[in-house]
PDB file of all heavy atoms in Angstrom:
ATOM      1  N   SER D 278     -16.260  27.869   9.498  1.00  0.00           N
ATOM      2  CA  SER D 278     -17.709  27.593   9.231  1.00  0.00           C
ATOM      3  C   SER D 278     -18.092  28.222   7.965  1.00  0.00           C
ATOM      4  O   SER D 278     -18.748  27.507   7.093  1.00  0.00           O
ATOM      5  CB  SER D 278     -18.582  28.191  10.393  1.00  0.00           C
ATOM      6  OG  SER D 278     -18.315  27.596  11.603  1.00  0.00           O
ATOM      7  N   ALA D 281     -16.355  26.220   5.081  1.00  0.00           N
ATOM      8  CA  ALA D 281     -17.060  24.936   4.923  1.00  0.00           C
ATOM      9  C   ALA D 281     -18.284  25.034   4.156  1.00  0.00           C
ATOM     10  O   ALA D 281     -18.555  24.231   3.252  1.00  0.00           O
ATOM     11  CB  ALA D 281     -17.257  24.262   6.238  1.00  0.00           C
ATOM     12  N   VAL D 286     -18.921  21.350   2.361  1.00  0.00           N
ATOM     13  CA  VAL D 286     -18.453  20.147   3.176  1.00  0.00           C
ATOM     14  C   VAL D 286     -18.747  20.489   4.562  1.00  0.00           C
ATOM     15  O   VAL D 286     -19.028  21.576   4.992  1.00  0.00           O
ATOM     16  CB  VAL D 286     -16.928  19.866   2.921  1.00  0.00           C
ATOM     17  CG1 VAL D 286     -16.638  19.579   1.467  1.00  0.00           C
ATOM     18  CG2 VAL D 286     -16.098  21.135   3.403  1.00  0.00           C
ATOM     19  N   SER D 287     -18.627  19.418   5.396  1.00  0.00           N
ATOM     20  CA  SER D 287     -18.832  19.629   6.836  1.00  0.00           C
ATOM     21  C   SER D 287     -17.684  20.308   7.448  1.00  0.00           C
ATOM     22  O   SER D 287     -16.551  20.257   6.861  1.00  0.00           O
ATOM     23  CB  SER D 287     -19.095  18.289   7.562  1.00  0.00           C
ATOM     24  OG  SER D 287     -17.988  17.463   7.504  1.00  0.00           O
ATOM     25  N   ARG D 288     -17.786  20.865   8.671  1.00  0.00           N
ATOM     26  CA  ARG D 288     -16.681  21.480   9.314  1.00  0.00           C
ATOM     27  C   ARG D 288     -15.585  20.431   9.656  1.00  0.00           C
ATOM     28  O   ARG D 288     -14.426  20.662   9.534  1.00  0.00           O
ATOM     29  CB  ARG D 288     -17.151  22.164  10.544  1.00  0.00           C
ATOM     30  CG  ARG D 288     -17.957  23.447  10.373  1.00  0.00           C
ATOM     31  CD  ARG D 288     -18.340  24.033  11.697  1.00  0.00           C
ATOM     32  NE  ARG D 288     -17.191  24.430  12.514  1.00  0.00           N
ATOM     33  CZ  ARG D 288     -17.246  24.703  13.798  1.00  0.00           C
ATOM     34  NH1 ARG D 288     -18.425  24.601  14.437  1.00  0.00           N
ATOM     35  NH2 ARG D 288     -16.124  25.102  14.426  1.00  0.00           N
ATOM     36  N   MET D 289     -16.031  19.233  10.037  1.00  0.00           N
ATOM     37  CA  MET D 289     -15.114  18.169  10.318  1.00  0.00           C
ATOM     38  C   MET D 289     -14.292  17.733   9.197  1.00  0.00           C
ATOM     39  O   MET D 289     -13.081  17.494   9.255  1.00  0.00           O
ATOM     40  CB  MET D 289     -15.817  16.916  10.978  1.00  0.00           C
ATOM     41  CG  MET D 289     -16.486  17.201  12.275  1.00  0.00           C
ATOM     42  SD  MET D 289     -15.177  17.591  13.494  1.00  0.00           S
ATOM     43  CE  MET D 289     -14.134  16.205  13.462  1.00  0.00           C
ATOM     44  N   THR D 290     -14.945  17.683   8.009  1.00  0.00           N
ATOM     45  CA  THR D 290     -14.239  17.351   6.711  1.00  0.00           C
ATOM     46  C   THR D 290     -13.255  18.447   6.444  1.00  0.00           C
ATOM     47  O   THR D 290     -12.083  18.138   6.054  1.00  0.00           O
ATOM     48  CB  THR D 290     -15.180  17.241   5.552  1.00  0.00           C
ATOM     49  OG1 THR D 290     -16.102  16.136   5.863  1.00  0.00           O
ATOM     50  CG2 THR D 290     -14.437  16.977   4.265  1.00  0.00           C
ATOM     51  N   LEU D 291     -13.596  19.732   6.627  1.00  0.00           N
ATOM     52  CA  LEU D 291     -12.636  20.815   6.364  1.00  0.00           C
ATOM     53  C   LEU D 291     -11.469  20.759   7.304  1.00  0.00           C
ATOM     54  O   LEU D 291     -10.269  20.940   6.926  1.00  0.00           O
ATOM     55  CB  LEU D 291     -13.379  22.193   6.466  1.00  0.00           C
ATOM     56  CG  LEU D 291     -12.493  23.411   6.193  1.00  0.00           C
ATOM     57  CD1 LEU D 291     -11.838  23.288   4.784  1.00  0.00           C
ATOM     58  CD2 LEU D 291     -13.361  24.653   6.275  1.00  0.00           C
ATOM     59  N   TYR D 292     -11.809  20.522   8.621  1.00  0.00           N
ATOM     60  CA  TYR D 292     -10.632  20.373   9.562  1.00  0.00           C
ATOM     61  C   TYR D 292      -9.708  19.233   9.181  1.00  0.00           C
ATOM     62  O   TYR D 292      -8.517  19.361   9.295  1.00  0.00           O
ATOM     63  CB  TYR D 292     -11.185  20.125  10.994  1.00  0.00           C
ATOM     64  CG  TYR D 292     -11.630  21.375  11.659  1.00  0.00           C
ATOM     65  CD1 TYR D 292     -12.936  21.480  12.205  1.00  0.00           C
ATOM     66  CD2 TYR D 292     -10.725  22.446  11.880  1.00  0.00           C
ATOM     67  CE1 TYR D 292     -13.334  22.674  12.897  1.00  0.00           C
ATOM     68  CE2 TYR D 292     -11.157  23.562  12.580  1.00  0.00           C
ATOM     69  CZ  TYR D 292     -12.413  23.701  13.042  1.00  0.00           C
ATOM     70  OH  TYR D 292     -12.779  24.850  13.733  1.00  0.00           O
TER      71      TYR D 292
END
Side-chain angles (χ1 to χ4, degrees):
S278 297
V286 298
S287 68
R288 290 180 61 197
M289 289 303 298
T290 297
L291 181 56
Y292 277 124

